[in-house]
Amino acid sequence: MNALVPLPVLLPLCVTGLKLAIGTRLMRFQRLFSVAVLAAVLVLSVILMIAADRQGPLSVHLGDFPPPLGITLVADRLAGLMLTVSSAVTLCVLVYSLGQGMADRDEETPLGVFHPAYLILVSGVSCTFLAGDLVNLYVGFEIMLVASFVLLTLGGTGPRVRAGSTYVIVSLFSSVLFLIAIAMTYAATGTANFAQLSQRLAEVPIGVRTLLEAMLLTVFGIKAAVFPLAAWLPDSYPTAPAPVTAVFAGLLTKVGVYCMLRTETLLFPGHRLGDLLMLAALLSMVIGILGAVSQTDLKRLLSFTLISHIGYMIFGVGLASRAGLGGAIVYVAHHITVQTTLFLVAGLIERRGGTTELTRLGGLAKGAPLLAVLFFVPAMNLAGIPPLSGFIGKLGLMRAGVQNGGEWAWLLVAGSAATSLLTLYVMAKVWNLAFWRDAPPGQKGEGSLLESDEDDPDDDETTRPVPAGRVVAATLSGRAVTTTSRLPRTMTAATGAAVALGLVYTVLGGPLTSYADRAAAELLTRGPYIEAVLAP
């Protein structure tokens, strides 16, 4: 079973090389191949998650070089769950992008640029979840950074290049800081392997250990978009194509949260920066949701809710108790799916209404009832309406805060409740403006495909003539497109699958909570992880 651990990293990389060799030929085969590979990664992730739950952490030393020389990959309960959720979400987003490419008649760009970069991104995400040392964690980040810049600047439009440049500059800064932290850690302990670090860091002077912890938290805080390190996010994500924004907002920020969970429990147990984390969690919750309240553009609004809800997860990390970590793990899995789904829906709204500016939308509940359902379910899930999974995660975190009983914990409980109410207000505002009220004057409630061939009898997804002033730049190649009176079936089906995945968490709320509790216990125990790496 240990031999399966590297495959979620290697499979997408190998297929990327093959796709680059093929180019844009054999389009149908390449589309099916991409879906099949991510489906295989999903199956592998489920197998690893179940095996890690039953047998304990699985580890492999590539090249058979033991630590600290070799590359160590480890799949424990936390990594298995994160791999499974991320694989399911990236598969949905890939299918969505296929639908967008076909609807926009932009099929060469997805195959020639988007697919290779996307598969590399998936490989980088898997690498970070499985990394057993700081160096390979850094490698995973850099793989993601390279792929991210390509995806954010797809099409080469001015706004996308500017947004991508901001993202890269911030990411490069965090990478340099990460390298410095790795060098200092190695100098202090003689290793970068997590299992060995968990033993040797206890012998390091407390001041040095606290400095290393602060540097790593800063790096991961930037990746996770924790306030005040989140200023780059609202301007970086909304300009990207819908599938890119969705996977970035839903998944990449959680990679930072995952790294916090891993390092704070394994390397810095009983950490001294818990109060600082709780302060950052509170500020992220409150300031993020207040930013969302002030927005009228749906994508920017969702970006601010993303910052706000990262605060819930940091709350659990700051508590560092079994209940707190378990609640954070549940919330991470829930939020990856729901936030991704909402950005996919935002892409459909843009395609249907021609804009994501809420003041220019209206009447979508009547004109596009399926789209209304696809938005309403994850929106209520994000707000934490019972019995949806968002409520399960928030309830677990609040209970953990009450059990802690400290001043910061009570402040976070109050902040969580207030943030939930404001999130409900924000989602209700979107619903009222975009879906429930009548369409504003001049907004007909239906769109058209710019640059379409209206004489094409086979085109059943775009049929209307072009109305003036209804241009949005949303294609993967940066062309001006594309509002449609009927939503593309493939994009709608992928979004529906993501909505259904979010509902699965509710149906399986009991098993999910139990699994997260076992994962939290494993993180706090540390012994099984260390033993699996050092004495496999």
Side-chain angles (χ1 to χ4, degrees):
M1 192 63 71
N2 290 18
L4 298 180
V5 175
L7 293 183
V9 182
L10 298 179
L11 265 182
L13 279 182
C14 294
V15 173
T16 299
L18 181 61
K19 292 177 78 68
L20 288 175
I22 295 176
T24 56
R25 300 185 293 273
L26 305 172
M27 290 184 179
R28 184 183 296 272
F29 168 76
Q30 287 207 54
R31 285 195 290 267
L32 292 174
F33 199 34
S34 297
V35 173
V37 167
L38 289 195
V41 172
L42 173 59
V43 172
L44 282 168
S45 301
V46 173
I47 293 172
L48 290 175
M49 181 179 70
I50 295 174
D53 190 33
R54 293 178 177 175
Q55 305 172 18
L58 310 172
S59 70
V60 61
H61 305 301
L62 299 185
D64 207 23
F65 292 103
L69 297 178
I71 297 174
T72 302
L73 300 177
V74 186
D76 61 354
R77 289 190 178 102
L78 176 61
L81 177 63
M82 295 296 289
L83 276 176
T84 300
V85 174
S86 65
S87 302
V89 166
T90 51
L91 179 59
C92 290
V93 173
L94 178 68
V95 175
Y96 183 99
S97 71
L98 289 174
Q100 181 168 341
M102 289 187 286
D104 295 340
R105 298 171 187 169
D106 195 17
E107 299 183 46
E108 289 192 0
T109 297
L111 293 177
V113 181
F114 179 83
H115 281 211
Y118 190 75
L119 291 174
I120 290 174
L121 182 76
V122 172
S123 178
V125 170
S126 300
C127 183
T128 57
F129 290 153
L130 293 171
D133 57 75
L134 287 172
V135 174
N136 284 294
L137 190 62
Y138 173 81
V139 171
F141 279 157
E142 294 311 295
I143 293 173
M144 287 193 297
L145 174 60
V146 172
S148 299
F149 185 66
V150 174
L151 292 171
L152 282 173
T153 58
L154 270 177
T157 63
R160 288 182 184 176
V161 172
R162 282 194 294 275
S165 299
T166 302
Y167 177 81
V168 168
I169 290 171
V170 173
S171 296
L172 285 177
F173 170 76
S174 67
S175 295
V176 171
L177 188 60
F178 196 10
L179 270 180
I180 295 172
I182 293 172
M184 292 176 63
T185 303
Y186 190 85
T189 62
T191 183
N193 184 274
F194 285 149
Q196 291 182 327
L197 282 174
S198 67
Q199 298 173 329
R200 297 183 186 179
L201 276 172
E203 303 167 3
V204 173
I206 187 67
V208 176
R209 193 159 72 239
T210 304
L211 175 62
L212 296 176
E213 182 182 3
M215 293 180 72
L216 290 175
L217 280 178
T218 302
V219 172
F220 303 144
I222 293 173
K223 301 291 184 186
V226 177
F227 184 87
L229 306 172
W232 57 273
L233 191 146
D235 293 327
S236 296
Y237 286 177
T239 57
V244 176
T245 305
V247 77
F248 276 42
L251 183 56
L252 295 198
T253 49
K254 310 310 181 301
V255 173
V257 176
Y258 167 83
C259 293
M260 286 188 184
L261 281 166
R262 176 68 66 199
T263 55
E264 286 300 294
T265 53
L266 188 59
L267 306 187
F268 307 104
H271 56 93
R272 298 161 57 87
L273 301 179
D275 289 348
L276 182 62
L277 279 175
M278 295 231 228
L279 174 62
L282 182 62
L283 292 176
S284 297
M285 282 184 193
V286 175
I287 295 178
I289 199 62
L290 290 178
V293 169
S294 66
Q295 299 300 313
T296 58
D297 180 83
L298 179 57
K299 288 184 177 178
R300 287 184 64 83
L301 182 150
L302 291 175
S303 296
F304 277 100
T305 63
L306 167 63
I307 296 171
S308 173
H309 284 246
I310 288 291
Y312 284 97
M313 304 162 217
I314 305 305
F315 177 22
V317 178
L319 287 175
S321 64
R322 178 169 173 169
L325 293 173
I329 292 170
V330 171
Y331 207 81
V332 168
H334 143 81
H335 198 261
I336 287 175
T337 308
V338 169
Q339 194 75 40
T340 301
T341 306
L342 284 171
F343 272 103
L344 292 181
V345 175
L348 292 176
I349 290 174
E350 186 175 41
R351 179 169 293 269
R352 179 63 175 78
T355 180
T356 53
E357 175 61 39
L358 296 174
T359 57
R360 294 166 57 193
L361 289 169
L364 291 178
K366 181 179 179 181
L370 177 58
L371 183 58
V373 173
L374 292 177
F375 171 80
F376 185 79
V377 174
M380 293 300 101
N381 207 343
L382 184 71
I385 299 299
L388 298 170
S389 57
F391 172 76
I392 297 172
K394 288 174 183 173
L395 181 63
L397 286 166
M398 289 184 182
R399 289 177 61 181
V402 171
Q403 288 176 9
N404 180 281
E407 294 177 356
W408 278 112
W410 279 110
L411 274 175
L412 263 297
V413 171
S416 303
T419 301
S420 292
L421 291 175
L422 286 173
T423 303
L424 181 60
Y425 166 77
V426 167
M427 292 297 108
K429 174 178 134 181
V430 175
W431 175 260
N432 286 332
L433 291 177
F435 292 91
W436 200 246
R437 68 168 178 167
D438 293 335
Q443 210 267 15
K444 298 179 180 179
E446 63 182 23
S448 62
L449 173 67
L450 308 183
E451 302 180 9
S452 67
D453 180 4
E454 295 176 33
D455 297 329
D456 184 359
D458 297 329
D459 183 10
D460 61 352
E461 298 188 335
T462 55
T463 56
R464 302 291 181 181
V466 179
R470 299 281 302 281
V471 179
V472 292
T475 63
L476 294 172
S477 63
R479 287 190 299 114
V481 184
T482 149
T483 58
T484 55
S485 57
R486 283 188 294 171
L487 298 174
R489 289 191 294 269
T490 305
M491 296 172 69
T492 306
T495 308
V499 172
L501 181 61
L503 292 176
V504 166
Y505 297 152
T506 301
V507 176
L508 300 178
L512 176 63
T513 304
S514 177
Y515 183 95
D517 184 60
R518 294 195 298 276
E522 188 177 73
L523 288 175
L524 291 174
T525 304
R526 302 196 303 160
Y529 185 101
I530 297 171
E531 185 178 345
V533 173
L534 300 182

